[in-house]
Amino acid sequence: MTLCYCCSGLTYAQCCEPIHNDHAKAEKPEQLMRARYSAHVLGLVDFVVNTYHSSCDAEQQRESIAESINSDWRQLEVLSVENSANQDEGFVHFKAHFADHNQTYCLEEKSRFVREHGLWYYIDGEFPQHQPSTKIGRNDPCPCGSGKKYKKCCGK
């Protein structure tokens, strides 16, 4: 019994595996986002490419998507989920932690998902800009909440 890679607390078989096998099982944007993260952990390039919205032309970017997947993904934190006034649009704000060349990084994004023909797709995202009220020192805790020093995390 393997816990799901998306840090939901459920087993992989209860959480992301059914969505990896059938994209239509993602009934909410958060479920698709978690499945996309788990696909990064598992190296499921086809799943990631196929769950981009068609306007993103992900197939043409397959090589760069594969490169981004080829990292040591460590943890997912879902910070918030927002519904839009449009029932076919939703947002998931998350932090994904990964390691690369003995450095740990935090990717924070507010992703936008759209539903088309009954399926949710990732379409785009924005990187929240944190405006600290005071200057963050290199040895201060990182404001992303990783528990690491700013210089070893988002301050790179």
Side-chain angles (χ1 to χ4, degrees):
M1 180 169 85
T2 302
L3 284 179
C4 196
Y5 307 97
C6 76
C7 306
S8 66
L10 300 172
T11 66
Y12 175 63
Q14 295 171 311
C15 192
C16 291
E17 184 177 36
I19 298 168
H20 288 159
N21 292 328
D22 181 0
H23 179 181
K25 300 268 182 179
E27 297 173 357
K28 299 176 183 177
E30 180 182 357
Q31 291 173 306
L32 181 59
M33 196 282 310
R34 287 182 176 280
R36 285 172 56 87
Y37 173 84
S38 290
H40 277 71
V41 173
L42 295 168
L44 303 177
V45 176
D46 288 340
F47 181 84
V48 174
V49 169
N50 293 335
T51 56
Y52 271 96
H53 187 265
S54 60
S55 67
C56 298
D57 202 18
E59 189 59 50
Q60 296 299 319
Q61 300 173 45
R62 178 178 282 278
E63 189 174 314
S64 62
I65 291 169
E67 286 178 28
S68 75
I69 289 173
N70 191 24
S71 293
D72 181 9
W73 296 94
R74 301 277 177 97
Q75 179 187 11
L76 176 68
E77 297 174 74
V78 175
L79 303 176
S80 67
V81 176
E82 288 178 42
N83 295 319
S84 174
N86 174 354
Q87 67 181 9
D88 293 325
E89 180 180 59
F91 301 89
V92 180
H93 183 181
F94 70 91
K95 290 181 183 177
H97 302 271
F98 66 98
D100 190 34
H101 295 97
N102 296 323
Q103 295 290 322
T104 303
Y105 301 94
C106 174
L107 168 69
E108 181 176 358
E109 182 178 300
K110 182 178 179 184
S111 296
R112 181 168 66 113
F113 295 85
V114 294
R115 185 169 39 197
E116 195 170 87
H117 307 295
L119 296 175
W120 285 103
Y121 294 94
Y122 171 83
I123 191 163
D124 58 21
E126 61 183 41
F127 301 110
Q129 299 296 317
H130 296 284
Q131 300 296 328
S133 55
T134 59
K135 184 176 178 184
I136 301 170
R138 290 179 43 77
N139 290 317
D140 290 341
C142 190
C144 82
S146 68
K148 295 179 175 39
K149 291 182 180 182
Y150 180 65
K151 70 181 179 186
K152 298 262 184 191
C153 193
C154 297
K156 295 203 124 254

